[in-house]
């Protein structure tokens, strides 16, 4: 992110410093007599700190789930860290899926829209904040009547972390990573953003049910020419459109759209930026083969996302494209095995299928020295 010292980060750091001070005071006044070794006291306190964060992430996503279901949404997936529970054709399964920069995510299929395009979305987006606040009050109420030991510290941390989550998600922060409140504000102020929000949820629910982007209605990916390209909810539809063009082998159209999305003309989520850079480099390799500039692989931000999302199938496909198109190595079968291995734990089966088909196309382009269209 370009601005590392935005309001979101300032509030986060300041609040965490306050929590650190409270932890230090609590330990020195309540626990130091129980455990003499300061190192052990610190280790236990840090463990409790991370437990509190983990539990409040679950609570936050449960809030989205509960209030979404209450307003007509249907379950798609529930992720905490890299563990995701996904519903596929009425069957639940546990898979692994990493999304850099996020601790969790609850995706639901939206109810059908009314004739005027309206649908319930406020409680679904505010559900996480609401449950964070409610549980913070509950945890603090229990803490008041609890002996001031490590369990009491955990209750206090759960209460404090819940308030932090509520602040960071309940106050609109405008950046390339919009929070719940910013998404809600955007939907209220911009009818196109509200519509794009519905389509994003709909597209994700179809992907979870093994319906590929190329199989979805084309109108899901259509946007008016005059639109706010710096609204990341709206721009996400263009990202899906670029992905759809890739899956349909319309590489030149995809390439031109990706170049626009990566320019200053658009604002997109950093994860989308990373994945689009992979697609752009793949197409560059198709066009230029051994002459392709792959220096972006050494870019610090690119390497960070690549490490965080190392099991994403797009990365495996890019690695294959580099070895096949730039260095002329016949390694298709090796990378098909790798892709299928990733697919054993990856939640979106259609993505794996599409990537294997794309790798076949890459080899065909190399062997026949085809000019892409």
């Amino acid at each position: 992110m370009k601005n590392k010292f935005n309001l979101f980060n300032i509030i986060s750091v300041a609040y965490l410093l306050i929590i650190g001070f409270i932890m230090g005071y609590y330990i020195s006044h309540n626990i130091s007599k129980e455990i003499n070794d300061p190192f052990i006291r610190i280790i236990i306190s840090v463990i409790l700190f991370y437990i509190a964060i983990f539990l409040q992430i679950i609570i936050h996503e449960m809030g989205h789930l509960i209030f979404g279901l209450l307003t007509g949404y249907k379950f798609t997936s529930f992720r905490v860290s890299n563990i995701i529970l996904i519903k596929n054709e009425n069957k639940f399964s546990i898979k692994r899926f990493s999304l850099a920069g996020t601790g969790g995510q609850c995706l639901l299929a939206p109810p059908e829209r009314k004739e005027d395009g309206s649908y319930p979305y406020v409680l679904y987006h505010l559900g996480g904040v609401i449950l964070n606040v409610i549980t913070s009050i509950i945890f603090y109420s229990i803490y008041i009547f609890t002996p001031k030991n490590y369990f009491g510290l955990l209750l206090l941390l759960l209460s404090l972390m819940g308030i932090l989550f509520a602040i960071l998600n309940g106050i609109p922060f405008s950046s390339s990573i919009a929070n719940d409140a910013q998404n809600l504000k955007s939907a209220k102020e911009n009818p196109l953003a509200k519509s794009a929000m519905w389509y994003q949820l709909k597209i994700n629910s179809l992907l979870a049910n093994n319906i590929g982007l190329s199989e979805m209605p084309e109108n899901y990916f259509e946007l008016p020419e005059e639109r706010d390209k710096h609204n990341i909810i709206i721009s996400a539809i263009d990202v899906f459109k670029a992905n759809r063009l890739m899956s349909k082998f319309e590489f030149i159209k995809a390439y031109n759209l990706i170049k626009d999305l990566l320019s200053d003309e658009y604002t997109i989520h950093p994860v989308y930026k990373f994945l689009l850079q992979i697609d752009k480099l793949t197409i560059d390799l198709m066009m230029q083969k051994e002459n392709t500039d792959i220096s972006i692989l050494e870019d610090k931000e690119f390497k960070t996302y690549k490490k965080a999302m190392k099991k994403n199938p797009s990365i495996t496909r890019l690695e294959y494209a580099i070895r096949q198109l730039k260095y002329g190595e016949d390694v298709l079968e090796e990378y098909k095995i790798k892709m299928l291995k990733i697919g054993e734990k990856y939640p979106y089966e259609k993505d794996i299928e599409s990537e294997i088909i794309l790798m076949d196309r890459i080899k065909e382009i190399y062997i026949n020295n085809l000019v892409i269209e």
Side-chain angles (χ1 to χ4, degrees):
M1 295 173 62
K2 293 180 179 179
N3 182 10
K4 295 183 179 180
F5 298 99
N6 55 39
L7 183 59
F8 182 93
N9 290 335
I10 290 171
I11 291 175
S12 301
V13 172
Y15 195 93
L16 289 173
L17 286 174
I18 292 171
I19 291 178
F21 174 79
I22 293 173
M23 287 176 65
Y25 181 87
Y26 185 99
I27 293 168
S28 62
H29 285 73
N30 298 295
I31 299 178
S32 58
K33 296 177 182 179
E34 297 180 14
I35 301 177
N36 293 324
D37 191 331
F39 180 74
I40 294 177
R41 292 201 300 265
I42 292 172
I43 292 297
I44 295 174
S45 301
V46 169
I47 291 172
L48 294 178
F49 175 79
Y50 281 105
I51 289 174
I53 292 175
F54 182 76
L55 290 177
Q56 279 295 354
I57 288 174
I58 295 176
I59 289 168
H60 182 86
E61 300 307 331
M62 283 296 298
H64 289 304
L65 176 62
I66 292 168
F67 285 93
L69 294 177
L70 287 174
T71 50
Y73 288 72
K74 295 182 179 179
F75 185 89
T76 297
S77 65
F78 188 94
R79 178 178 61 83
V80 177
S81 185
N82 67 341
I83 306 297
I84 182 170
L85 174 66
I86 189 165
K87 186 179 181 182
N88 181 330
E89 298 175 351
N90 295 320
K91 295 180 181 178
F92 290 91
S93 58
I94 296 176
K95 302 285 185 176
R96 290 187 177 273
F97 182 73
S98 296
L99 196 62
T102 64
Q105 188 177 44
C106 175
L107 292 177
L108 304 179
E112 292 303 316
R113 297 185 296 174
K114 296 180 180 178
E115 290 184 7
D116 61 358
S118 64
Y119 65 98
Y121 64 93
V122 175
L123 284 177
Y124 170 53
H125 279 82
L126 285 183
V129 171
I130 293 171
L131 204 58
N132 283 139
V133 171
I134 291 173
T135 56
S136 290
I137 294 171
I138 293 172
F139 286 132
Y140 190 77
S141 299
I142 299 172
Y143 161 77
I144 293 173
F145 301 101
T146 300
K148 300 305 179 279
N149 49 26
Y150 275 116
F151 180 65
L153 177 59
L154 176 59
L155 290 171
L156 180 59
L157 288 172
L158 282 166
S159 179
L160 292 171
M161 292 309 303
I163 296 300
L164 177 61
F165 275 52
I167 292 172
L168 296 182
N169 287 281
I171 299 174
F173 293 105
S174 181
S175 71
S176 58
I177 307 179
N179 62 1
D180 295 333
Q182 181 61 32
N183 286 336
L184 186 59
K185 179 173 180 286
S186 179
K188 281 184 168 294
E189 295 176 350
N190 189 328
L192 183 59
K194 183 173 74 172
S195 177
M197 185 183 293
W198 186 90
Y199 279 115
Q200 280 190 64
L201 292 169
K202 187 68 174 179
I203 290 168
N204 278 308
S205 69
L206 293 175
L207 287 171
N209 283 282
N210 295 326
I211 298 174
L213 293 171
S214 62
E215 303 168 79
M216 298 180 196
E218 192 168 353
N219 68 294
Y220 282 19
F221 309 91
E222 293 176 350
L223 291 169
E225 187 64 32
E226 294 298 322
R227 61 185 184 277
D228 182 3
K229 295 179 180 179
H230 293 289
N231 184 304
I232 67 169
I233 299 175
I234 298 172
S235 298
I237 300 300
D238 277 317
V239 174
F240 278 123
K241 183 177 181 179
N243 298 154
R244 186 171 188 263
L245 290 169
M246 284 288 290
S247 68
K248 294 175 68 178
F249 297 166
E250 296 183 31
F251 298 120
I252 298 302
K253 288 182 180 179
Y255 190 78
N256 291 331
L257 178 54
I258 290 169
K259 283 201 300 182
D260 288 341
L261 286 164
L262 293 176
S263 72
D264 292 336
E265 185 181 353
Y266 283 84
T267 299
I268 60 175
H269 194 288
V271 171
Y272 287 158
K273 176 185 175 182
F274 166 70
L275 294 172
L276 288 176
Q277 286 172 330
I278 289 177
D279 289 343
K280 181 178 179 296
L281 183 52
T282 299
I283 300 173
D284 278 327
L285 286 158
M286 292 180 192
M287 293 189 292
Q288 302 176 48
K289 299 181 175 64
E290 69 273 7
N291 297 318
T292 307
D293 178 9
I294 59 172
S295 59
I296 192 173
L297 298 178
E298 300 305 317
D299 178 80
K300 184 177 179 181
E301 186 177 40
F302 186 93
K303 290 169 73 174
T304 298
Y305 278 99
K306 185 172 181 284
K307 182 179 180 180
M309 300 174 64
K310 58 186 177 181
K311 295 298 184 181
N312 189 285
S314 296
I315 295 173
T316 300
R317 177 246 298 164
L318 176 62
E319 291 173 351
Y320 164 68
I322 291 171
R323 292 186 64 180
Q324 179 72 76
L325 296 169
K326 187 170 179 66
Y327 300 115
E329 299 179 30
D330 187 9
V331 288
L332 178 58
E333 295 307 315
E334 174 187 336
Y335 275 86
K336 279 188 176 181
I337 293 171
K338 287 185 177 182
M339 191 69 76
L340 291 171
K341 188 69 176 176
I342 291 172
E344 292 175 3
K345 296 181 179 179
Y346 194 75
Y348 303 106
E349 295 176 15
K350 206 68 178 183
D351 282 0
I352 301 298
E353 180 184 319
S354 297
E355 292 291 2
I356 291 175
I357 293 172
L358 181 52
M359 290 196 300
D360 282 328
R361 181 60 174 167
I362 287 170
K363 181 165 185 179
E364 184 182 353
I365 289 169
Y366 177 80
I367 294 296
N368 298 305
N369 198 28
L370 299 178
V371 176
I372 65 170
E373 301 177 355

